């Protein structure tokens, strides 16, 4: 294949995870070396999941307050361009109850996705640039599920109520960062957004639903527009979909929009095979 990066995007419940898995399956069948990274992967090579950001001074303060975990944090810290990046979720998985909840909560407030929009854009785009430099020399295709458009739109529009222009700027910065990989984007579409999201709600844990609704309605776009509960969340998703369609029209990336409204895996797989020829 000419591309070294396939990006899978779409709204929650559209079938992104299934699509990414099918792409990996098809590439493997065609003897193409491929590596897939799903949403939430703590080892993502371009995005930051469960990673906290500290200045040098802030990290020194953390070490003073962390007691017996001081050496652990020093062993795990990653320094890039003067930034201190701490993969606190990985540490929590390794230490379990030895990582005090109060300290974990304090560190999580420094998550990369809790930074200001400007700081978040800088940290994330630099990470994508670094990934692209490394991937350019490798003989494999990367498959990323929902971090290329979803994350900028979520942190830009949903969290901070940023303008469409600002959010588009964010996505374009990521597109510029990986252009050397000749990326391809597969957008999974649903004709009835509300129906597909309600379907996802019935299939996922209550914890996911409650967290999703709270994130979408308690800040940024939802807060400004007075939206709440499930109905308000669906309104925000409608606005997000409109913005994402605008982004797709302007992106300098080969893009395929696949309709998955019927959730017909066999048909969807055949459509993907055509795209991946």
């Amino acid at each position: 294949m000419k591309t070294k990066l396939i990006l899978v995007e779409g709204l929650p419940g559209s079938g992104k995870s299934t699509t990414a898995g099918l792409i990996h399956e098809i590439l493997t069948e065609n003897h193409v070396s491929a590596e897939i990274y799903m949403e939430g992967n703590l080892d993502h090579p371009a995005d930051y999941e469960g990673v906290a950001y500290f200045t040098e001074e802030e990290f020194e303060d953390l070490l003073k307050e962390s007691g017996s975990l001081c050496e652990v944090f020093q062993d795990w810290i990653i320094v890039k361009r003067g930034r201190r990046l701490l993969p606190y979720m990985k540490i929590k998985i390794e230490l379990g109850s030895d990582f005090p909840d109060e300290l974990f909560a304090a560190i999580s407030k420094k998550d990369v996705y809790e930074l200001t929009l400007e700081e978040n854009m800088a940290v994330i785009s630099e990470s994508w640039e670094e990934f692209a430099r490394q991937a350019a020399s490798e003989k494999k295709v990367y498959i990323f599920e929902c971090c290329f458009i979803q994350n900028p739109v979520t942190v830009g529009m949903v969290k901070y109520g940023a303008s469409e222009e600002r959010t588009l700027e964010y996505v374009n910065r990521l597109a510029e960062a990986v252009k050397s990989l000749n990326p391809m984007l597969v957008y999974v579409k649903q004709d009835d957004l509300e129906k597909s999201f309600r379907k996802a709600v019935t299939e996922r844990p209550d914890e996911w639903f409650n967290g999703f609704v709270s994130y979408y309605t308690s800040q940024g776009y939802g807060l400004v527009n007075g939206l709440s509960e499930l109905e308000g969340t669906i309104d925000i998703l409608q606005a997000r979909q409109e913005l994402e369609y605008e982004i797709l029209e302007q992106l300098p990336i080969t893009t395929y929009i696949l309709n998955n409204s019927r959730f017909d895996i066999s048909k969807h797989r055949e459509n993907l095979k055509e795209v991946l020829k």
Side-chain angles (χ1 to χ4, degrees):
M1 296 187 68
K2 292 182 179 180
T3 182
K4 289 191 173 185
L5 176 61
I6 299 175
L7 304 159
V8 180
E9 295 288 337
L11 296 184
S14 61
K16 298 187 303 297
S17 299
T18 298
T19 301
L22 287 172
I23 290 172
H24 185 260
E25 184 180 294
I26 293 167
L27 292 182
T28 301
E29 289 175 358
N30 292 335
H31 308 290
V32 176
S33 178
E35 197 165 321
I36 185 170
Y37 287 89
M38 308 297 280
E39 181 178 11
N41 192 315
L42 298 180
D43 293 313
H44 201 289
D47 194 36
Y48 287 122
E49 182 73 28
V51 176
Y53 163 85
F54 296 90
T55 63
E56 182 178 3
E57 182 178 352
E58 289 171 339
F59 186 63
E60 289 300 322
D61 289 340
L62 173 66
L63 294 180
K64 294 174 183 176
E65 299 168 1
S66 57
S68 61
L69 293 183
C70 175
E71 291 185 8
V72 174
F73 293 158
Q74 287 178 315
D75 289 341
W76 279 88
I77 198 69
I78 301 165
V79 181
K80 291 184 178 180
R81 302 190 184 189
R83 300 186 177 97
R84 270 63 179 170
L85 299 165
L86 187 68
Y88 66 95
M89 282 300 300
K90 284 187 176 182
I91 298 174
K92 180 63 174 177
I93 291 171
E94 180 173 294
L95 297 183
S97 59
D98 289 334
F99 195 155
D101 291 343
E102 185 176 343
L103 182 57
F104 176 83
I107 292 174
S108 67
K109 292 179 180 178
K110 301 291 292 180
D111 192 282
V112 166
Y113 281 97
E114 293 298 323
L115 293 171
T116 66
L117 180 57
E118 185 62 38
E119 290 174 321
N120 176 265
M121 288 173 64
V123 172
I124 296 297
S125 59
E126 286 171 8
S127 182
W128 280 70
E129 290 168 3
E130 184 178 325
F131 156 72
R133 286 192 293 270
Q134 167 240 314
S137 62
E138 298 177 342
K139 295 182 178 180
K140 62 182 173 183
V141 177
Y142 284 87
I143 304 162
F144 289 173
E145 182 214 6
C146 80
C147 59
F148 176 72
I149 290 179
Q150 175 173 286
N151 286 4
V153 170
T154 300
V155 74
M157 185 194 90
V158 178
K159 181 175 178 62
Y160 290 115
S163 68
E164 294 181 3
E165 293 76 17
R166 192 73 169 131
T167 305
L168 177 60
E169 177 191 347
Y170 193 163
V171 178
N172 278 328
R173 284 176 69 170
L174 300 189
E176 178 67 21
V178 296
K179 68 179 182 179
S180 63
L181 304 180
N182 189 31
M184 170 196 298
L185 191 148
V186 176
Y187 192 90
V188 189
K189 175 186 176 182
Q190 288 288 332
D191 289 333
D192 191 332
L193 180 158
E194 180 174 350
K195 180 180 178 181
S196 62
F197 183 69
R198 288 182 181 275
K199 177 177 180 292
V201 168
T202 64
E203 295 171 346
R204 300 183 186 185
D206 289 344
E207 182 181 2
W208 175 86
F209 170 70
N210 293 331
F212 192 94
V213 170
S214 175
Y215 189 93
Y216 265 61
T217 61
S218 65
Q219 55 188 343
Y221 186 94
L223 187 62
V224 168
N225 290 280
L227 300 171
S228 62
E229 301 184 350
L230 175 58
E231 289 71 21
T233 302
I234 291 172
D235 288 343
I236 299 169
L237 286 171
Q238 294 282 3
R240 174 183 153 183
Q241 184 178 67
E242 292 174 10
L243 175 56
E244 291 189 359
Y245 283 164
E246 290 184 22
I247 290 171
L248 293 176
E249 289 179 359
Q250 300 181 52
L251 269 181
I253 288 178
T254 300
T255 300
Y256 298 91
I257 300 177
L258 300 185
N259 196 315
N260 190 39
S261 298
R262 295 185 178 181
F263 291 101
D264 184 335
I265 291 183
S266 296
K267 179 63 176 176
H268 196 49
R269 193 178 196 281
E270 289 304 311
N271 290 337
L272 287 168
K273 286 176 71 174
E274 288 297 313
V275 167
L276 296 170
K277 279 185 176 179

